[in-house]
């Protein structure tokens, strides 16, 4: 039942993205994380964070039954290695992008003050 409600929410949420409607949910999620990793490597931190990592995290939060951290990011426990890997990559990538964006902001502030 959770999977059905997730699919329904997912279909309503991403209606504007034609690829997300045509691709299976698990495939779309894995490619979303891979795209975020690529954008991070080419130093597009804001795009990677907003459109890949944070988007994946929002999908997970809306699909979860409770606010429990484990239920959100690891709904099947640690048995589903793909889900665990994607969730960890999204959380880690989101944090790294935040750090890099703060570093860029600090550099701009330091240049303006000098």
């Amino acid at each position: 039942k959770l999977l059905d409600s997730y699919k329904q929410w997912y279909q309503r949420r991403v209606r504007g993205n034609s690829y997300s409607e045509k691709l299976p949910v698990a495939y779309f999620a894995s490619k979303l994380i891979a795209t975020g990793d690529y954008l991070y490597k080419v130093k597009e931190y804001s795009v990677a964070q907003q459109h890949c990592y944070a988007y994946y995290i929002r999908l997970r939060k809306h699909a979860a039954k409770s606010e429990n951290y484990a239920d959100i990011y690891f709904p099947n426990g640690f048995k589903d290695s793909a889900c665990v890997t994607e969730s960890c990559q999204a959380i880690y990538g989101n944090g790294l992008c935040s750090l890099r964006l703060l570093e860029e902001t600090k550099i701009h502030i330091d240049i303006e003050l000098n």
Side-chain angles (χ1 to χ4, degrees):
K1 182 174 176 160
L2 175 63
L3 186 59
D4 292 336
S5 64
Y6 172 70
K7 285 182 180 178
Q8 289 171 358
W9 176 84
Y10 180 80
Q11 292 299 327
R12 281 185 270 126
R13 173 78 175 136
V14 292
R15 191 140 327 258
N17 186 336
S18 62
Y19 289 109
S20 62
E21 291 178 358
K22 296 175 183 175
L23 298 173
V25 175
Y27 182 78
F28 179 74
S30 69
K31 292 304 175 186
L32 191 64
I33 297 300
T35 302
D37 292 344
Y38 172 76
L39 289 169
Y40 181 83
K41 286 178 186 174
V42 296
K43 300 181 180 185
E44 291 293 336
Y45 307 121
S46 180
V47 178
Q49 183 180 34
Q50 292 174 6
H51 296 288
C52 297
Y53 300 127
Y55 185 73
Y56 179 88
I57 291 170
R58 280 193 308 271
L59 288 175
R60 284 281 177 206
K61 284 183 180 179
H62 288 292
K65 285 183 176 179
S66 69
E67 294 294 320
N68 186 359
Y69 187 84
D71 290 340
I72 294 172
Y73 298 108
F74 312 110
N76 301 326
F78 292 102
K79 295 174 186 172
D80 185 2
S81 63
C83 179
V84 170
T85 303
E86 287 172 359
S87 294
C88 289
Q89 279 183 288
I91 294 166
Y92 186 68
N94 194 41
L96 282 178
C97 287
S98 294
L99 178 65
R100 297 296 183 209
L101 290 169
L102 284 172
E103 287 175 349
E104 287 179 358
T105 303
K106 185 177 178 353
I107 289 170
H108 292 302
I109 290 173
D110 289 343
I111 290 172
E112 289 176 7
L113 292 176
N114 292 331

